[in-house]
Amino acid sequence: MLTYPDARSVVRALAPDEPVILNRPHAATRAARFFVEKFPGKSLYAVKANPSPELLRVLWNAGVTHYDVASIAEVRLVRGILPEAVLCFMHPIKAPSAIREAYRVHGVKTFSLDSVEELEKIVAACTDDAGEAATDLRLCVRLRVSSEFSELSLASKFGCDLTEGPLLLQQARQHADWLGVCFHVGSQAMSPFAYVQALDRTRAAIAEASVVIDMIDVGGGFPSVYPGLEPPPLEDYFTIIHQHFYALPIAYNAELWCEPGRALCAEYSSLVVKVEKRRGEELYINDGAYGALFDAAHVDWKFPVRALEDDLIKPEAEFAFYGPTCDDADYMPGPFALPEDIQAGDYIEIGMLGAYGAAMKTDFNGFGATQSLIVEDEPMASLYDGSRARKVSDNVVSLR
Ligand SMILES: *Cc1c(COP(=O)(O)O)cnc(C)c1O
């Protein structure tokens, strides 16, 4: 992949007519090292946030050895790129053929579930042709927890509640070599207290089930930083999780896992778009709701923006964006602050699109073509450049 110093030099060199994704491997490396060194347990990368092969290699080289995959296509993808990675199939509803292929062909042992039906499906799919049941299954029961501290809820679709959880833990224990509890507090959790609540619920489920628990997986939800969404330092999350993990009634050697998606890759990518037309305070740009800006359109996410022209000097005004497709829904309300005299032909860099941005692009209406390049400058915001962390304090927990 070609390397440039920054977005401005890309525009000067290429004047691109189509959107360009700018990747920052150094930013993903820094995020991965942060989790590997400071999270008091194991960090699995949640592949759905950004499955790009280059990023997977960057994370592996930075020390991320475990990957949370949710479909057989993600299993095949990661196995093809990282033959030694540990893959954990953490979607609670899977096709039997996907479970069978993952277990038999790709060496996947860890599966999540939130129902007896799924437990039976996993057990059947991992039984061999002679009728011998698998003895090496690592099962994780997914609990439903609140998403009240998060910007994007994951509370309704998956997870069993406290009336079903304890029984399911007992049933899963009979088939599992290793039994865990997992949950997801929702994406972009703005307070560490989200995990406290979820771990309290975990405690209640374990106490009632009275089975040996070998692993607690606190899922994803670790935030990145966006305009208007500035979370506390990640060290605060890690400290609080570690304290509450230690207080659980679990095996003395139980492991602590987490599954960050957003926090590992949000800073990895930005996007250069071209303004095709201006109508008042609305800019028609060449990426949108069906491209990398899905979240800007559909959940009103605010991404940082900057104009890439040197000659725009007027004060900033607030703009909304239209994407390139013929659909009215291809609209991003923002508001996005840009120089007042921005106009057709100018370029804009939109930041923090490494998570659920670059991964969301479709070819709808013929607008999917995108080039990817590497740039060397800093991402438009960072949780890891030392600017936001409190002084490295005594309460930073590290197992090293
Ligand atoms: C999406 C997802 C993640 C990653 O969530 P982030 O909020 O991006 O950290 C982790 N685990 C599971 C099961 C998920 O579905």
Side-chain angles (χ1 to χ4, degrees), residues 99-398:
I99 300 169
R100 196 174 305 117
E101 181 183 329
Y103 180 75
R104 294 192 186 185
V105 180
H106 304 290
V108 178
K109 309 271 186 249
T110 307
F111 298 90
S112 82
L113 60 130
D114 65 1
S115 67
V116 184
E117 293 80 357
E118 188 72 11
L119 175 61
E120 289 167 353
K121 212 197 284 176
I122 294 168
V123 170
C126 298
T127 296
D128 70 15
D129 297 336
E132 291 288 336
T135 55
D136 55 358
L137 288 178
R138 303 179 136 223
L139 301 179
C140 301
V141 171
R142 168 102 171 234
L143 291 184
R144 177 159 42 234
V145 299
S146 162
S147 273
E148 68 178 291
F149 293 99
S150 302
E151 294 300 308
L152 285 177
S153 172
L154 273 83
S156 343
K157 191 169 181 180
F158 299 134
C160 51
D161 60 27
L162 282 181
T163 60
E164 318 147 330
L167 182 59
L168 187 55
L169 279 169
Q170 290 168 352
Q171 290 166 316
R173 182 74 264 183
Q174 295 168 23
H175 301 279
D177 180 38
W178 201 75
L179 182 64
V181 177
C182 60
F183 53 76
H184 198 302
V185 299
S187 205
Q188 186 76 9
M190 292 301 291
S191 164
F193 193 67
Y195 296 88
V196 175
Q197 253 188 359
L199 286 166
D200 280 348
R201 182 167 283 218
T202 302
R203 154 189 293 285
I206 297 173
E208 195 175 328
S210 350
V211 292
V212 176
I213 297 294
D214 305 294
M215 185 273 274
I216 301 291
D217 177 353
V218 299
F222 297 94
S224 185
V225 51
Y226 304 89
L229 291 176
E230 311 226 329
L234 283 177
E235 282 96 337
D236 291 6
Y237 291 71
F238 295 176
T239 304
I240 247 178
I241 288 169
H242 195 232
Q243 285 164 350
H244 286 259
F245 167 73
Y246 257 95
L248 291 173
I250 50 181
Y252 75 94
N253 58 349
E255 292 185 25
L256 174 63
W257 289 12
C258 68
E259 304 169 351
R262 183 184 301 282
L264 285 182
C265 62
E267 299 178 20
Y268 178 59
S269 309
S270 63
L271 181 76
V272 170
V273 297
K274 187 175 183 183
V275 179
E276 305 284 9
K277 173 192 159 116
R278 173 169 178 174
R279 184 178 77 183
E281 310 298 271
E282 293 162 338
L283 302 178
Y284 292 66
I285 60 174
N286 58 357
D287 193 278
Y290 301 92
L293 298 174
F294 183 97
D295 278 353
H298 297 289
V299 294
D300 219 351
W301 208 269
K302 311 283 187 292
F303 294 98
V305 294
R306 65 181 164 214
L308 295 174
E309 257 57 43
D310 294 323
D311 55 347
L312 298 177
I313 44 164
K314 296 247 177 81
E316 296 200 321
E318 295 194 329
F319 294 91
F321 295 157
Y322 274 112
T325 71
C326 301
D327 191 340
D328 259 7
D330 198 353
Y331 175 71
M332 295 141 275
F336 301 98
L338 288 161
E340 211 176 73
D341 56 348
I342 194 161
Q343 53 185 306
D346 290 341
Y347 289 92
I348 299 168
E349 181 177 16
I350 306 174
M352 312 303 284
L353 283 168
Y356 310 112
M360 308 296 278
K361 283 185 86 58
T362 74
D363 288 332
F364 177 53
N365 224 173
F367 289 105
T370 312
Q371 195 181 357
S372 294
L373 303 170
I374 290 176
V375 290
E376 294 169 318
D377 64 342
E378 280 296 302
M380 286 168 75
S382 181
L383 277 185
Y384 308 104
D385 63 2
S387 61
R388 306 182 49 78
R390 296 199 178 125
K391 271 185 281 156
V392 178
S393 56
D394 297 330
N395 66 357
V396 173
V397 177
S398 169

Side-chain angles (χ1 to χ4, degrees), residues 31-32 53 55 247 289:
L55 175 61

